[in-house]
Amino acid sequence: MELGIDSFAAVVSDPVTGVTLSPADRLANLLEEIEVADRSGVHSFGVGEHHRPEYLDSAPSLILAAAAARTSRIRLNSAVTVLSADDPVRVFQQYATLDLLSRGRAELVVGRGSFIEAYPLFGLNTQDYDSLFSEKLELLLRLRGDTHVHWSGRHRAPLRGQGVYPRPQQPQLPVWVGVGGTPESFVRAGQLGLPLMVAIIGGDFRAFRPLVDLYRAAGAQAGHAPDTLRVGVHAFGFVGDSDAGARDDFWPGYARMLDTLGRERGWAPPNRAQFDAACGPAGPYLIGTPDTVAAKLRFVHAALGGVDRLSFQMTNVLMPHARMLRSVELLGREVAPQVADL
């Protein structure tokens, strides 16, 4: 099993002083997190995409390009690229360039996004939510296969064989499909033979097994080899020196984030008892000591019939930087070796 980290580059405040980091300092800290992940043996690092005041990742390829210059081994990916609201030509060019800068370490995780701010920002209609993604994904896959593409669709001007440059260093730029809980999304990824990244941020991992099985069945029916149908999971995670300490460290920022989103979406206020339960042996959060987290990873692997990559959503808006770096190091040095055999 490959272990990764995903960050949403959220604005962070010091929980002791209450001082909010400047955007420049926050991004500097994020780059240091990626450097430590690289040195510690974490397999991959992803940066999300948002167009909201709480986040600094509206241009993730630029953050990843800065990280490419400071790292040598770790794979660098979007988490996710909101492809529906972007131009597939520009997305391909940006990540092909990142692939050259990183000497073949770039990957894309593409999706429709769980926030809708990008749609009106770029003059798009949310009623076209699914057709935008389907059409643009088809074009993106055509572009990674051929330099000169002839293509036409509803949502973008046609291509008439123009060359799209640069080409990546890797023979084929890896493209994962990021999904939530919609069965059609799992089927589409399987039919296309693309690796799957499932966002599981609540509930029971075992409840997603039928959807993962649906993905694998759709892929097999479409004639794709089983080893191409890779399954990844994106989930809340944090590693500490004790189970209680890890939960205590993660809870304040987690609660603030959910409270902010909950006021927009009508959710109930976050509850500490529910959070602690979610960190338990069968809960959806991977938070605790290296041994606790490794045990949970084995549980997830079995529950979903095999997981190829698990990306820890470690973003926390009230986390001291030194504590985050410690968690990143523990993930790479102490957790990853325990699940390398999966």
Side-chain angles (χ1 to χ4, degrees):
M1 183 190 291
E2 301 165 354
L3 298 188
I5 296 171
D6 288 338
S7 175
F8 290 168
V11 174
V12 172
S13 300
D14 187 294
V16 177
T17 66
V19 174
T20 298
L21 289 179
S22 71
D25 287 342
R26 172 65 182 109
L27 288 177
N29 284 354
L30 175 58
L31 291 174
E32 188 177 4
E33 291 170 24
I34 303 174
E35 288 181 86
V36 171
D38 182 57
R39 293 196 301 266
S40 302
V42 176
H43 179 269
S44 57
F45 203 106
V47 176
E49 178 189 341
H50 300 85
H51 302 270
R52 298 169 56 90
E54 310 99 307
Y55 302 104
L56 302 170
D57 58 0
S58 63
S61 62
L62 292 180
I63 300 173
L64 294 169
R70 300 176 181 218
T71 56
S72 61
R73 183 203 55 78
I74 196 165
R75 298 192 67 79
L76 302 167
N77 60 273
S78 58
V80 303
T81 293
V82 185
L83 186 62
S84 308
D86 213 330
D87 180 356
V89 173
R90 290 300 284 151
V91 169
F92 179 83
Q93 291 175 324
Q94 289 161 7
Y95 282 85
T97 302
L98 175 63
D99 200 54
L100 297 175
L101 290 169
S102 65
R103 296 189 179 273
R105 293 185 283 130
E107 300 186 7
L108 271 162
V109 182
V110 299
R112 296 177 293 185
S114 60
F115 294 92
I116 63 170
E117 288 81 4
Y119 292 83
L121 182 64
F122 297 111
L124 301 168
N125 193 328
T126 54
Q127 292 182 344
D128 296 324
Y129 186 75
D130 191 62
S131 66
L132 281 164
F133 181 71
S134 297
E135 180 178 294
K136 292 184 177 187
L137 178 58
E138 188 242 337
L139 177 54
L140 179 66
L141 297 178
R142 292 277 302 277
L143 291 168
R144 77 166 182 167
D146 297 295
T147 304
H148 301 274
V149 171
H150 293 266
W151 176 93
S152 63
R154 283 182 53 205
H155 301 292
R156 191 200 185 278
L159 294 176
R160 298 187 173 89
Q162 304 98 313
V164 177
Y165 306 102
R167 307 307 295 180
Q169 178 167 310
Q170 295 176 87
Q172 188 176 71
L173 191 64
V175 176
W176 298 64
V177 177
V179 301
T182 306
E184 292 79 8
S185 297
F186 286 79
V187 170
R188 173 164 47 206
Q191 290 173 338
L192 293 171
L194 295 174
L196 184 78
M197 182 60 68
V198 190
I200 302 178
I201 57 174
D204 190 320
F205 284 110
R206 291 167 292 193
F208 285 80
R209 177 63 180 268
L211 293 170
V212 172
D213 288 346
L214 189 63
Y215 160 72
R216 290 180 171 130
Q221 188 172 8
H224 300 293
D227 61 354
T228 67
L229 301 172
R230 305 184 69 210
V231 173
V233 171
H234 162 104
F236 281 117
F238 185 79
V239 191
D241 294 305
S242 70
D243 287 341
R247 296 177 187 183
D248 288 344
D249 286 343
F250 202 78
W251 163 254
Y254 165 90
R256 176 178 287 188
M257 180 191 69
L258 257 64
D259 189 52
T260 300
L261 295 178
R263 286 196 298 270
E264 295 181 9
R265 301 185 178 188
W267 298 345
N271 179 286
R272 178 62 195 256
Q274 292 174 344
F275 169 78
D276 287 339
C279 297
Y285 301 163
L286 298 99
I287 297 175
T289 66
D291 289 345
T292 295
V293 171
K296 178 68 76 68
L297 287 167
R298 291 183 177 278
F299 168 77
V300 176
H301 185 76
L304 296 179
V307 172
D308 298 283
R309 180 182 297 179
L310 202 145
S311 289
F312 285 62
Q313 167 51 287
M314 294 175 68
T315 303
N316 193 285
V317 301
L318 289 173
M319 181 68 67
H321 182 50
R323 210 162 294 166
M324 180 61 74
L325 295 181
R326 171 67 174 160
S327 183
V328 171
E329 186 174 24
L330 288 171
L331 179 66
R333 296 197 187 282
E334 298 194 23
V335 179
Q338 295 193 52
V339 297
D341 61 326
L342 295 181

